[in-house]
Amino acid sequence: MTTDQHGLAMTGAGTAAAQHYDRAIDELLHFRVEVAAETKAALAESPGFTMANVLSAYLGLLTTEAEDARKARARFGAYRRATDGAALLPRERAHVAAVQALLDGDFLTCGALLGEITVEHPRDALALAVGHQIDFFTGDARSLRDRIGGALSAWREDDRHFGHLLGMYAFGLEEAGHYDRSEEVGLRAVELNPRDVWGIHAVVHTYEMQGRFGDGLRYLDARTRDWSTGTFFNIHNWWHYSLYALESGDVPRALAIYDSVLAGGRSCMELLDAAALLWRLHLEGSGQPERWLALAEAWPPLVAEPFYAFNDMHAVMSYVGAGRVADAEKLIAAREAYVLEPRPGVTNLDMTLQIGLPVCRAVVAFGRGDHASVLDLLLPIRHRINEFGGSHAQRDAVQRTLLEAALRAGRLDVARMLVSERINIRPCSPYNWLKQAALADLLGEHGAAAAARVRADDLARAGGRAT
């Protein structure tokens, strides 16, 4: 019997296979594409190696793409048919059960089972990393924080992957609203491992949530070589860079990033970043028809069958942005049929029914100029948008759609409430100031509008609060 690099026993692995597995975990925590090759190498050495089969299945499921999930289901089914489950170690059996739940579409049960593993085995890096992603996919901020926080005391600062745990923990802290602590922990994570792109990402999220676009730009600029190449997370961090550019009013810079980086995306994760950027421009009246058209052409094979409602929303945004409302309505109709079929335990069904469909319908309504319907659809669920996954920064596209619809529909009472909420959380955000000014103009409060535009102290903090 072999052990992994964190001292956990494994069955079915020779020495070479175990070494490949350890390297695969390291590549996974660095978000590097080599994780797939190392996993395949481990299985080539020891085809019955349980943890390598488990890792392979997780990799196929965490892309949130139906075709990858189908392949993972077939591979893992073949492994299980050839394996005596009773001969596995309890931790391995628990991972097999967690994978099977995820294969069956039950994100919540998978996350719970992984949580049970880390209570007993807090140094199980795979359980922590996959559980962290499940919490992200389900929008569970408390678990994003506490799953990692509950394991940290079992790790030492000189552990090889302690910094990666801190990077995950920093993101959980940010999503749970602990911004000062998130910045502290995230900066420490990157200090321990400068190429921890998830740790960098956590710091970037923290600055985003505080409206500190100047700090964010400087932070990313200072570390461009660490986060911009060599991982499958490059595009997402470039997306964050483009959000800072938009917040600072530099639309040409944001579009230059779009054309050089985001426009080449092909996976769901990459396409949704592209759609999210263009949708923010769309809300401000910038059409971008050619960019939208190219993006809309890429979505159909990836949303041909239901898998993750968060992806569906971005596909609908792309169709609406490209003027292909009929395609958006076709996708919505397919999801309406999907939720009518009994699918016990399938998390995406509830995500689609409760959040995905109302949001997609609201995006279409906005595209049609039916702003009153946008309010009817989004106001009742605006505090529950997290239930179909993503981060606060990603879901802000929905909140901005609601605010813009309120302004355009003349629902100034609702717009006042939404602007007040935003500006009191992020007083340093130029976007929030602009919406406050627009609202003041609509209300005829020209003095207030002028005051909203001149925020010298807040502008200094947004551009460089660290000073």
Side-chain angles (χ1 to χ4, degrees), residues 278-288 366 404 408:
L278 291 186
W279 187 254
R280 281 166 169 78
L281 291 169
H282 183 78
L283 293 175
E284 298 304 308
S286 180
Q288 309 301 322
F366 191 92
E404 191 61 40
R408 297 189 188 191

Side-chain angles (χ1 to χ4, degrees), residues 25-231:
I25 295 298
D26 185 63
E27 302 293 3
L28 174 65
L29 294 173
H30 281 94
F31 285 77
R32 291 194 286 245
V33 295
E34 288 81 3
V35 60
E38 291 292 349
T39 303
K40 289 179 181 178
L43 289 172
E45 291 284 348
S46 300
F49 180 9
T50 296
M51 291 309 299
N53 278 282
V54 162
L55 173 56
S56 177
Y58 284 138
L59 294 177
L61 292 161
L62 295 181
T63 65
T64 71
E65 296 185 15
E67 180 60 25
D68 290 341
R70 185 166 26 254
K71 293 176 181 177
R73 198 173 291 118
R75 290 194 303 267
F76 201 67
Y79 157 77
R80 293 200 70 180
R81 288 189 295 273
T83 301
D84 178 9
L88 301 179
L89 298 171
R91 183 180 72 93
E92 294 173 326
R93 288 199 298 272
H95 266 292
V96 169
V99 168
Q100 192 59 57
L102 196 55
L103 287 167
D104 294 338
D106 193 341
F107 282 58
L108 300 179
T109 295
C110 176
L113 290 172
L114 289 169
E116 292 175 6
I117 292 173
T118 55
V119 169
E120 188 171 354
H121 303 283
R123 291 176 56 77
D124 188 329
L126 180 59
L128 288 167
V130 174
H132 189 66
Q133 292 302 313
I134 294 296
D135 295 335
F136 171 66
F137 292 145
T138 56
D140 189 338
R142 183 172 62 182
S143 288
L144 277 167
R145 179 193 65 195
D146 292 346
R147 183 187 300 273
I148 307 301
L152 271 174
S153 62
W155 292 72
R156 302 182 310 275
E157 189 159 312
D158 60 353
D159 281 334
R160 181 184 184 190
H161 294 131
F162 178 71
H164 293 92
L165 266 289
L166 288 183
M168 287 187 272
Y169 189 47
F171 181 67
L173 287 166
E174 175 273 316
E175 288 297 293
H178 308 288
Y179 301 135
D180 289 343
R181 179 70 174 139
S182 172
E183 180 180 9
E184 176 188 356
V185 173
L187 290 173
R188 178 59 178 153
V190 179
E191 180 184 348
L192 289 171
N193 182 358
R195 294 192 68 83
D196 178 5
V197 293
W198 191 259
I200 292 171
H201 164 258
V203 175
V204 168
H205 266 270
T206 298
Y207 294 155
E208 165 73 16
M209 288 297 97
Q210 295 176 308
R212 295 165 58 185
F213 64 86
D215 287 339
L217 287 169
R218 282 190 293 275
Y219 185 76
L220 288 174
D221 281 340
R223 291 159 182 80
T224 301
R225 293 180 62 183
D226 294 328
W227 61 264
S228 63
T229 61
T231 78

